[in-house]
Amino acid sequence: MPRPTSNSLAPYQQPYDLANCDEEPLRFIRHYQKPGKLLAVDKISFTIKACAGDFSDFNPAATGKVIGMALADLFPPASLEEIRASLQKRSGLGGLPIKFQPAAGTAEQDSWNIITRSAGELYLLEFEPRDENVSSSDFLLRMDLALQHVQDGGEMNSLADRVVEEVKALTNYDRVMLYRFDADNNGEVIAEAREPELPAFLHLHYPHTDIPKQARELFLKNPVRQIASSAKDQVSIVITDENLTSLDLSCATGRGSSPIHLEYLRNMGVGASLSIAIVVEQRLWGLIACHHRTEKVIDYRLRTMLNLLSKTLSGHLGLWEAVKIREDLIGANLIRSTLYERMSQQQDIVDGLFSEGNTDLLELMSATGVVLVLEGETHHQGDCPSKEEVQKLIAWLEEKEQHLYETNALFDEFSPAKNFRSRPAGLLSIRISYTPGEYLIWFRPEEISTINWGGNPNQRKEVVAGKVRLHPNLSFAQWQEERKGVAKP
């Protein structure tokens, strides 16, 4: 991927807008967040192959470009030795940062954290301002208490409230939310702690396009994401050696942000943000999302501690999900055992499944209707389509030639179902045989629901000069949608 020139602030070689933002190559962005600085050094020679930010305050000899310099020419021997030891000790995978003060006698508040990471054939050295309060005994005690409060667990809603309250107390962000993704990657705010003058976002939903696919994937690689400022000019350009064709910043803590996302934050009145991934079974379950009205930098060590808090929450969620799955499996196994026993006793499949007063077959799938088409006969229980309607449905299923088929939006996929006697919006079909076609089909009804969105998701965009951009008057006020035609998945 060609690099932008040093006098260009363009994040990529080509422009991206809302029409193709899912293709935006975030990990190769050529922006790096101020006030941080970045060096990429060759793992063998320890020469600098890429940089972002001004290093003249570290070493007066580093005025202008530092590309091609050796680390030994930029740092004093003691600091260089500490950097080398950090890289070798942790294989460049990150860990506790190194404390660095550019010159003897420099004020304590001018110290920096150096975060070391590995990126292919390069080491990344990131420099961030250091907050000495994070290492104070009072703060560490407060962090320990916060972890204990989350480890205590409890019911989901109270635990969610506890997490956002603890994170807000530790970071002093104006708003902290617990944001959960659904099966379609839309998000919902399920817990919130905020300054009283701010509008509430609790229980508002946001479309999956607000956090594109590639951004969600990066959270699995780098679970903590800080945006110190949403302002347009708070980035440095990443300058690279002419022989370095690309620089993967997936794991860089100060990687620049999509200009589209920064505009989105500004429209929300957000000056800085912090997002911490909640990962359950290698799946992005949600985020702890923090917003501040002005610029804000959180020390790397505190962000690491918050990631530990998030992992504690993830452990609770994973345990709850495992217990729920186990309970469902036990319940389903009991029902299946009952059905097998009844069919064996009566020596008839149909009588065993559809005996009078027996609703086990419905309960097996939490369905309201079930149909068995076997040996030319149609048997049903609960709220089902008519025999003629079932035949139309089977003719449609025959075209699919699938052993197993399910949908919770049958009206969209097979429109005649809207006019069926029972109006089934959800369907699970098992094909028993192909010649003739024999089926076991469960049905679920339409569930009409109201969703509160954070702004109308259909009015987030406008087209200007052929480019799709965020609407300048983008609203995040509650907007209600009545959802019809779908069943419980």
Side-chain angles (χ1 to χ4, degrees):
M1 180 178 296
R3 306 177 307 284
T5 58
S6 59
N7 61 358
S8 168
L9 281 176
Y12 309 108
Q13 182 187 15
Q14 69 179 77
Y16 291 87
D17 60 20
L18 289 180
N20 62 349
C21 64
D22 276 347
E23 301 170 9
E24 193 176 357
L26 295 174
R27 63 196 182 107
F28 292 113
I29 195 168
R30 288 304 191 245
H31 280 176
Y32 194 82
Q33 296 184 51
K34 295 178 180 178
K37 309 172 192 284
L38 170 72
L39 292 176
V41 301
D42 184 86
K43 285 185 175 179
I44 298 175
S45 66
F46 274 72
T47 56
I48 298 169
K49 297 295 185 181
C51 70
D54 181 11
F55 287 87
S56 61
D57 53 345
F58 286 7
N59 187 333
T63 54
K65 296 179 181 179
V66 296
I67 304 297
M69 288 180 64
L71 276 186
D73 297 330
L74 188 59
F75 296 101
S79 296
L80 181 63
E81 186 60 32
E82 198 170 2
I83 291 171
R84 285 180 177 272
S86 172
L87 294 172
Q88 293 169 358
K89 181 179 179 181
R90 291 186 290 272
S91 301
L93 297 175
L96 290 175
I98 303 166
K99 180 179 177 178
F100 172 67
Q101 286 185 267
T106 303
E108 186 75 8
Q109 61 265 29
D110 293 332
S111 59
W112 296 74
N113 284 322
I114 305 180
I115 302 124
T116 58
R117 298 187 185 276
S118 178
E121 297 178 354
L122 302 172
Y123 287 131
L124 299 184
L125 279 65
E126 300 185 78
F127 301 80
E128 295 183 0
R130 183 181 178 95
D131 180 0
E132 293 302 334
N133 291 324
V134 171
S135 57
S136 71
S137 57
D138 287 345
F139 183 87
L140 293 175
L141 176 60
R142 179 69 187 86
M143 187 70 216
D144 183 58
L145 289 173
L147 283 169
Q148 287 183 37
H149 291 160
V150 175
Q151 286 172 335
D152 288 342
E155 182 264 334
M156 176 60 197
N157 290 337
S158 63
L159 178 58
D161 289 338
R162 194 179 310 151
V163 166
V164 295
E165 289 165 2
E166 294 292 352
V167 173
K168 189 176 188 309
L170 289 165
T171 63
N172 292 315
Y173 275 92
D174 291 331
R175 185 196 306 273
V176 177
M177 299 166 284
L178 190 58
Y179 188 84
R180 178 174 60 190
F181 293 112
D182 65 14
D184 297 318
N185 294 309
N186 300 311
E188 179 190 2
V189 178
I190 64 170
E192 178 183 48
R194 60 184 171 85
E195 293 299 303
E197 65 272 18
L198 293 177
F201 288 172
L202 185 62
H203 300 311
L204 293 185
H205 292 71
Y206 297 87
H208 66 91
T209 51
D210 283 11
I211 306 178
K213 179 176 180 289
Q214 74 275 33
R216 295 192 300 270
E217 290 174 347
L218 280 176
F219 274 114
L220 296 176
K221 292 184 176 181
N222 194 359
V224 182
R225 176 73 175 139
Q226 174 177 251
I227 298 177
S229 173
S230 63
K232 294 181 180 180
D233 60 349
Q234 290 303 299
V235 293
S236 303
I237 197 70
V238 177
I239 303 170
T240 58
D241 180 273
E242 61 182 10
N243 296 318
L244 185 62
T245 57
S246 65
L247 180 61
D248 189 342
L249 296 179
S250 299
C251 294
T253 64
R255 171 177 53 83
S257 298
S258 161
I260 300 170
H261 182 61
L262 294 178
E263 183 182 4
Y264 176 91
L265 291 178
R266 292 193 293 270
N267 284 340
M268 289 187 81
V270 175
S273 70
L274 176 68
S275 301
I276 308 154
I278 303 168
V279 180
V280 178
E281 298 294 332
Q282 300 181 331
R283 165 179 57 88
L284 187 62
W285 184 95
L287 299 171
I288 300 172
C290 311
H291 288 172
H292 205 63
R293 285 167 285 188
T294 57
E295 297 178 3
K296 190 174 182 65
V297 177
I298 295 294
D299 189 285
Y300 176 79
R301 293 165 296 165
L302 174 53
R303 302 201 309 267
T304 301
M305 294 177 193
L306 294 175
N307 188 33
L308 177 59
L309 186 147
S310 175
K311 288 180 178 179
T312 303
L313 173 60
S314 299
H316 282 294
L317 295 172
L319 179 61
W320 287 338
E321 288 189 2
V323 169
K324 179 65 168 59
I325 291 171
R326 182 174 179 272
E327 290 175 347
D328 289 347
L329 285 173
I330 290 173
N333 285 336
L334 288 173
I335 293 174
R336 283 198 295 270
S337 296
T338 301
L339 290 170
Y340 282 131
E341 183 179 355
R342 191 176 293 121
M343 285 185 288
S344 298
Q345 289 174 348
Q346 300 189 19
Q347 298 184 342
D348 185 284
I349 292 175
V350 175
D351 288 346
L353 294 177
F354 292 91
S355 59
E356 187 175 351
N358 164 33
T359 60
D360 289 334
L361 195 57
L362 290 173
E363 293 173 9
L364 182 64
M365 296 296 173
S366 300
T368 54
V370 61
V371 164
L372 174 66
V373 179
L374 185 68
E375 296 179 347
E377 297 291 331
T378 301
H379 311 274
H380 69 275
Q381 187 178 71
D383 193 15
C384 300
S386 68
K387 184 176 181 179
E388 293 74 20
E389 291 167 344
V390 169
Q391 290 304 316
K392 293 179 183 178
L393 184 61
I394 286 178
W396 174 68
L397 289 170
E398 295 264 308
E399 296 174 0
K400 295 186 172 298
E401 297 185 349
Q402 291 181 226
H403 169 67
L404 182 69
Y405 180 78
E406 64 86 19
T407 178
N408 71 320
L410 184 59
F411 296 166
D412 293 338
E413 300 183 36
F414 183 65
S415 58
K418 294 180 183 178
N419 301 314
F420 281 5
R421 181 178 66 189
S422 60
R423 284 182 55 83
L427 172 146
L428 172 63
S429 164
I430 298 176
R431 189 166 188 165
I432 300 170
S433 69
Y434 282 81
T435 308
E438 297 179 322
Y439 289 85
L440 182 59
I441 308 172
W442 286 270
F443 301 100
R444 282 182 178 169
E446 173 186 27
E447 290 187 354
I448 299 176
S449 60
T450 299
I451 298 179
N452 294 319
W453 293 95
N456 186 340
N458 301 313
Q459 295 179 358
R460 275 168 147 66
K461 307 174 185 178
E462 70 169 1
V463 180
V464 177
K467 294 183 178 180
V468 185
R469 54 161 288 173
L470 287 171
H471 198 286
N473 298 319
L474 179 62
S475 171
F476 294 91
Q478 178 176 306
W479 182 83
Q480 287 193 335
E481 175 194 12
E482 187 176 62
R483 181 164 291 182
K484 299 180 178 181
V486 295
K488 182 181 177 182

